[in-house]
Amino acid sequence: MTRDGFGRPVFAEPPATTGWPVGSRLCLDAGADTGRQFLVLTRDLPVALSVHTVPRGPVSELLLPFTPLERGYVQEAPVGRRAQRLAQLWTRKEAALRLTGRGELAAADAIDALSGAREGKIVIPGSPARPGGTAYVRDLPAGPRAVACAATSALAPEVRLWRANSPDGHAHTHGGPAAEAGTAAQATDTATA
């Protein structure tokens, strides 16, 4: 095992249980939120994971790190879906920033996590301290009242997600586009292994 430039683990040779070809690199990241622990794996692409609990109560005061387009998207939702949309947009931004090494979450309001939803593409603007970059995000099922998102440096044919304390202990494999147009904050990758 080695580490990428941002400290994330990379295995030069994937374990045989993954079913991936010899010579593939296994890239992974871990995330946790309120007693839930997750591990996300990809083949040959660096990956970053963000997991969060869906907030309870009004969301209007939580809209500061979002673009006007994203704020409108959250506010146009039925009241019962606003917190879910807000949390999903936040996990997209955070995963993209983690992937590109920009831990500057204060820059989140400059990142549009909604416009490129069909391809999952998020452009990270550069700053005087760091170059910009591009991340491809994928919404992942994290269970009730939680959202998760994985970001990779290119479109990934599949992403594997494990929930450490899952009752079945199985991994779930997710492929396809990040989200359908018009439903950007809803998880759409549901193929299971």
Side-chain angles (χ1 to χ4, degrees):
M1 181 178 86
T2 62
R3 300 218 176 250
D4 70 8
F6 300 112
R8 292 180 294 258
V10 176
F11 289 89
E13 203 57 50
T17 57
T18 65
W20 286 336
V22 174
S24 299
R25 288 181 321 137
L26 176 67
C27 302
L28 60 113
D29 195 20
D33 184 59
T34 318
R36 293 179 293 257
Q37 297 176 349
F38 296 88
L39 180 66
V40 66
L41 305 165
T42 60
R43 185 174 86 186
D44 296 325
L45 289 171
V47 63
L49 177 65
S50 176
V51 181
H52 286 283
T53 299
V54 175
R56 297 185 185 273
V59 299
S60 58
E61 66 276 2
L62 302 174
L63 291 172
L64 291 176
F66 296 92
T67 67
L69 179 66
E70 293 166 336
R71 289 180 195 149
Y73 178 72
V74 170
Q75 292 170 331
E76 75 185 16
V79 173
R81 290 275 305 138
R82 290 179 183 170
Q84 177 79 25
R85 283 188 176 187
L86 179 97
Q88 195 65 62
L89 289 171
W90 180 253
T91 60
R92 288 175 171 208
K93 289 174 182 265
E94 185 176 58
L97 285 165
R98 286 180 176 179
L99 178 76
T100 59
R102 291 205 44 201
E104 306 163 3
L105 295 178
D109 63 344
I111 296 167
D112 179 359
L114 189 58
S115 293
R118 180 167 287 286
E119 310 82 37
K121 182 178 181 178
I122 294 182
V123 176
I124 311 296
S127 72
R130 295 186 185 260
T134 301
Y136 290 85
V137 297
R138 176 171 299 168
D139 299 333
L140 302 169
R145 303 290 308 156
V147 292
C149 181
T152 54
S153 56
L155 288 173
E158 75 178 355
V159 171
R160 295 186 184 183
L161 176 72
W162 273 274
R163 182 173 173 183
N165 50 353
S166 173
D168 63 10
H170 291 98
H172 298 278
T173 303
H174 306 278
E180 295 177 17
T183 60
Q186 298 175 3
T188 60
D189 299 333
T190 57
T192 57

